[in-house]
Amino acid sequence: VTTLGSAIGTAKLLDATLGEAMRYEQSTITIDAMFNNEKLSKEYTKMLEQFAIDSPLLNSSDMFANSKSFINLTSDIDQLEQMWNLSERLLAVDPKQGVEGAVLALRELFSGDTQSLVERFEMPRKALNDIKNLPINEQLAELDKLFNEMNMTNHLVERMGDSSLGVINRIKEALSMKFRNA
């Protein structure tokens, strides 16, 4: 039994270090290819890492793995950061949908489809229909307004960051990055 416990512990440690580093490497290769611009790719990667450290809900692994959904829509770093901010706020009000669900719902809206936001996150169809065909910069601004009107605010995310789980999530993210870099 002790040997089995040691093997499981070793496997978990390897996954947290080497596994995380390998997944990160694959994600950065994909991101580099999608941007096709080394400077923008590095700027985006740096933004993601800082966002993940500051976020009580998002982690860099999920953000890197789901980046292609947003990079396909824009290479503007400010817009990409806004997309992640909106994703984080969706996650704050419905964590069961997960990062992938939040990203999928937003990506669909940016492409003109409101169904996932309406069904997964119980967002008002009429308001989303008014937003879905706007240019992306206007979509982002209008979604921010709508989220604020619905009390899906950055303040909510900040308050979650002060919770025990939020603090633990940020510590886990910082450790994950240290392990990955090791």
Side-chain angles (χ1 to χ4, degrees):
V1 175
T2 307
T3 305
L4 180 61
S6 295
I8 291 171
T10 301
K12 286 183 179 183
L13 179 62
L14 284 173
D15 187 58
T17 54
L18 293 176
E20 187 65 28
M22 289 184 287
R23 286 186 291 277
Y24 174 81
E25 180 183 32
Q26 282 188 328
S27 293
T28 57
I29 289 169
T30 302
I31 289 168
D32 287 345
M34 292 185 78
F35 272 107
N36 197 25
N37 178 317
E38 188 176 337
K39 182 179 179 247
L40 273 178
S41 177
K42 285 184 192 261
E43 188 179 339
Y44 178 72
T45 300
K46 185 177 177 182
M47 180 275 294
L48 272 190
E49 289 175 342
Q50 188 60 53
F51 199 110
I53 288 172
D54 293 339
S55 175
L57 303 171
L58 293 170
N59 64 63
S60 57
S61 295
D62 288 340
M63 292 177 80
F64 276 94
N66 286 282
S67 284
K68 66 186 174 299
S69 294
F70 291 154
I71 296 171
N72 278 332
L73 300 167
T74 183
S75 60
D76 182 294
I77 302 300
D78 290 332
Q79 289 180 347
L80 290 164
E81 187 170 10
Q82 288 176 297
M83 290 175 182
W84 282 111
N85 175 270
L86 294 168
S87 299
E88 181 180 46
R89 289 155 66 183
L90 283 173
L91 198 57
V93 296
D94 196 348
K96 287 186 179 185
Q97 297 302 323
V99 175
E100 192 172 322
V103 169
L104 170 73
L106 286 171
R107 185 190 73 218
E108 286 181 357
L109 178 78
F110 297 139
S111 300
D113 181 1
T114 63
Q115 199 65 24
S116 287
L117 277 173
V118 170
E119 289 182 4
R120 286 179 178 241
F121 295 95
E122 301 175 24
M123 302 283 294
R125 186 179 307 275
K126 180 178 178 345
L128 295 173
N129 282 338
D130 292 342
I131 295 170
K132 72 179 184 178
N133 293 319
L134 298 171
I136 194 117
N137 60 325
E138 292 178 34
Q139 284 180 331
L140 291 167
E142 292 301 315
L143 280 172
D144 180 58
K145 283 183 204 174
L146 177 61
F147 282 23
N148 285 330
E149 289 169 9
M150 297 178 68
N151 295 317
M152 297 167 54
T153 63
N154 289 317
H155 179 67
L156 167 64
V157 173
E158 290 168 15
R159 288 188 60 212
M160 292 185 96
D162 293 336
S163 72
S164 300
L165 185 58
V167 170
I168 294 297
N169 284 343
R170 287 199 314 270
I171 291 169
K172 283 173 44 180
E173 178 59 25
L175 286 173
S176 173
M177 284 185 157
K178 287 192 185 299
F179 283 143
R180 181 177 66 219
N181 292 335

